Amino acid sequence: MKEIILIKNGELALKGLNRSNFEDVLIKNMRRHLKELGTFTFTKSQSTIMVEADDEGVDLEDAVDRLSRVFGIAALSRACTCEKDFECIKKTACEYLEEELEDAKTFKVEAKRSDKKFPMKSPEISRELGGYILSRFNHLKVDVHNPDIIVTVEVRDNYAFVRGNNIKGAGGMPTGTSGRAAILISGGIDSPVAAYMMAKRGIELCAVHFASPPYTSELAEMKVMELLKKVARYSGVIATFVVPFTKIQEAIRDNCPEEYFTIIMRRVMMMISERIANEQRCSALITGESVGQVASQTIYALGCTDCAVQIPVFRPCIGMDKEEIIAISRKIDTFETSIQPYEDCCTVFTPKHPNTKPELENVVHAQQQVDWSEMIAQALEQTKVVVIG
Ligand code: ATP
Ligand code: MG
């Protein structure tokens, strides 16, 4: 009995001629997610990819858990291979799925025969195997519409396999098939969710974090790294740029009108991130902003922020309310880390009465009190790079 993992591609199947390329990227990503567990062989076959451990004793449960976070997979399951012999198929189905069949009340069998030389046709396999399972598990009933377990049998050229229910995959598109973008990551709830959402669309991430020591602590920075590690469980490696932001924030505080502190700070963040994005071959910036959440996220303020850069800015959380964002952050396990109470540079020098309807002309004028090019160049020079994941 040899166990394998079966992968069902998601949207990949829609990609026509590009499909093979997409599958290759997906396999590369799967290999990377599994690398700590050993080496694996991947075999493409129609819309399924078969994953086989090269060595014995590999923890397949752990492998399935890791693969369940790889984007581009619609569904996955463990399966047991056996000889292409109906007696063997019957025995394997009942032994391999014993526990699930014991726990289920209803079942059905689905059979697929890609080896047309196999003497039984698919409906016959389903019927015969169904009858055999009923005779072995007296409590079970057949339900073809909504069964607790679907026993799937496939007869392929070299062997047959049997499996139970699928597990839902992470969905989306394989990371790296939609280009690169830079996520502006804070320690909050929203930006890790935004990063996850864009990675799910196939975007490879790098990250930019602004730190303002001593106003923000080492622990705040560690929290951000922890969050990125959690996102990287889905997205794969994230090159992270930590930009020293203290001098810039102090310059804003000392030279700009208070009502524009936050908006100017956000514009400078964008300008620096754009520079890093260009160097890193990123085609967009990503933020966790959502309309109306705070003063700097009114549509007027967001408009002023956008105008600071040429590069497109993606805000996947823009129309979501906090509850919806929190639901995703719980799902990807970033929530508990995000709510740890460390300060962010955005909460340093916050104005008492921020202008929620800033006009671009006034903001640009207010911003011109400082020569930014010199300060930005210095911040970039002192930026530190950490590779996460
Ligand atoms: P989050 O929960 O993601 O922190 P937020 O609702 O607290 O978001 P802000 O603090 O105003 O909102 O930040 C808005 C967005 O700006 C964040 O989602 C993030 O993309 C970016 N951002 C905020 N602080 C930083 C930082 N220190 N470094 C990099 N990006 C940041
Ligand atoms: Mg924040």
Side-chain angles (χ1 to χ4, degrees):
M1 245 177 38
K2 181 160 174 74
E3 256 198 294
I4 58 173
I5 300 171
L6 298 173
I7 304 292
K8 275 262 168 268
N9 298 342
E11 282 178 60
L12 271 187
L14 303 172
K15 292 285 164 191
L17 283 179
N18 278 335
R19 186 167 127 182
S20 183
N21 289 349
F22 274 63
E23 280 176 340
D24 291 343
V25 177
L26 177 59
I27 289 172
K28 197 176 86 197
N29 293 349
M30 288 197 277
R31 218 185 276 286
R32 215 181 277 150
H33 276 74
L34 293 176
K35 69 172 188 285
E36 282 164 23
L37 300 184
T39 58
F40 292 78
T41 301
F42 297 82
T43 316
K44 296 191 237 175
S45 163
Q46 289 138 13
S47 62
T48 307
I49 298 170
M50 284 184 280
V51 186
E52 238 175 287
D54 292 342
D55 301 307
E56 278 180 24
V58 169
D59 183 350
L60 282 193
E61 198 169 320
D62 194 352
V64 167
D65 178 55
R66 286 163 195 254
L67 292 175
S68 72
R69 290 187 292 272
V70 177
F71 295 126
I73 296 177
L76 66 164
S77 64
R78 285 162 77 162
C80 188
T81 60
C82 66
E83 272 172 49
K84 289 194 312 181
D85 165 79
F86 191 58
E87 285 307 311
C88 186
I89 291 174
K90 272 168 37 180
K91 194 163 157 274
T92 306
C94 290
E95 275 174 19
Y96 181 61
L97 299 173
E98 184 176 4
E99 246 174 68
E100 282 124 297
L101 289 168
E102 288 287 1
D103 291 345
K105 290 196 179 68
T106 56
F107 82 109
K108 82 167 173 180
V109 177
E110 280 181 0
K112 198 169 147 192
R113 183 185 63 138
S114 43
D115 172 14
K116 300 297 176 203
K117 286 193 222 102
F118 189 74
M120 295 164 78
K121 290 194 173 149
S122 304
E124 193 185 351
I125 301 175
S126 299
R127 208 171 45 239
E128 293 289 321
L129 181 58
Y132 183 71
I133 290 175
L134 279 174
S135 73
R136 290 279 308 272
F137 298 85
N138 294 323
H139 70 287
L140 277 177
K141 286 200 167 54
V142 173
D143 179 347
V144 291
H145 300 296
N146 193 19
D148 294 336
I149 175 169
I150 301 177
V151 176
T152 303
V153 179
E154 264 195 68
V155 183
R156 300 217 164 194
D157 285 341
N158 300 328
Y159 53 83
F161 63 75
V162 173
R163 68 171 174 86
N165 289 338
N166 272 327
I167 305 165
K168 206 169 173 309
M173 317 241 285
T175 302
T177 54
S178 303
R180 275 165 69 79
I183 171 76
L184 278 75
I185 185 102
S186 70
I189 296 168
D190 310 327
S191 45
V193 168
Y196 160 84
M197 287 172 79
M198 296 313 295
K200 186 171 179 182
R201 297 313 302 156
I203 286 180
E204 192 178 312
L205 299 175
C206 68
V208 184
H209 175 66
F210 296 91
S212 290
Y215 305 106
T216 61
S217 66
E218 183 97 352
L219 286 173
E221 203 178 306
M222 279 163 64
K223 174 186 172 186
V224 171
M225 299 304 152
E226 193 58 40
L227 287 170
L228 285 171
K229 258 189 220 156
K230 297 205 164 185
V231 174
R233 288 177 359 133
Y234 291 87
S235 68
V237 175
I238 306 174
T240 302
F241 297 79
V242 182
V243 184
F245 208 48
T246 316
K247 281 192 187 148
I248 289 173
Q249 284 199 278
E250 285 173 346
I252 297 171
R253 178 197 61 190
D254 296 342
N255 298 286
C256 304
E258 186 179 340
E259 61 174 323
Y260 296 129
F261 276 4
T262 315
I263 191 80
I264 293 174
M265 180 193 71
R266 303 206 48 79
R267 282 169 57 88
V268 179
M269 277 184 172
M270 290 289 178
M271 284 151 64
I272 294 176
S273 302
E274 182 179 46
R275 292 274 294 271
I276 294 173
N278 287 338
E279 257 171 41
Q280 290 296 308
R281 295 173 290 104
C282 290
S283 314
L285 301 179
I286 306 166
T287 78
E289 288 159 314
S290 157
V291 167
Q293 211 185 67
V294 286
S296 62
Q297 294 174 31
T298 63
I299 53 170
Y300 316 102
L302 290 171
C304 291
T305 309
D306 263 7
C307 288
V309 289
Q310 306 280 313
I311 193 168
V313 183
F314 293 156
R315 300 180 169 93
C317 301
I318 197 74
M320 295 167 77
D321 49 52
K322 204 73 188 186
E323 284 309 310
E324 292 167 315
I325 299 171
I326 287 175
I328 298 179
S329 77
R330 284 191 194 281
K331 186 176 108 178
I332 63 171
D333 193 33
T334 51
F335 182 72
E336 294 300 330
T337 309
S338 289
I339 58 173
Q340 287 171 15
Y342 298 115
E343 61 300 307
D344 178 55
C345 69
C346 276
T347 50
V348 177
F349 315 140
T350 31
K352 279 200 196 68
H353 302 289
N355 189 331
T356 53
K357 260 192 169 178
E359 283 180 24
L360 182 61
E361 210 179 311
N362 298 337
V363 175
V364 170
H365 178 73
Q367 189 182 321
Q368 274 164 355
Q369 309 307 315
V370 179
D371 174 9
W372 293 109
S373 52
E374 180 65 18
M375 298 205 84
I376 289 176
Q378 229 182 51
L380 283 169
E381 226 165 74
Q382 290 161 9
T383 290
K384 128 185 131 183
V385 190
V386 190
V387 177
I388 306 280

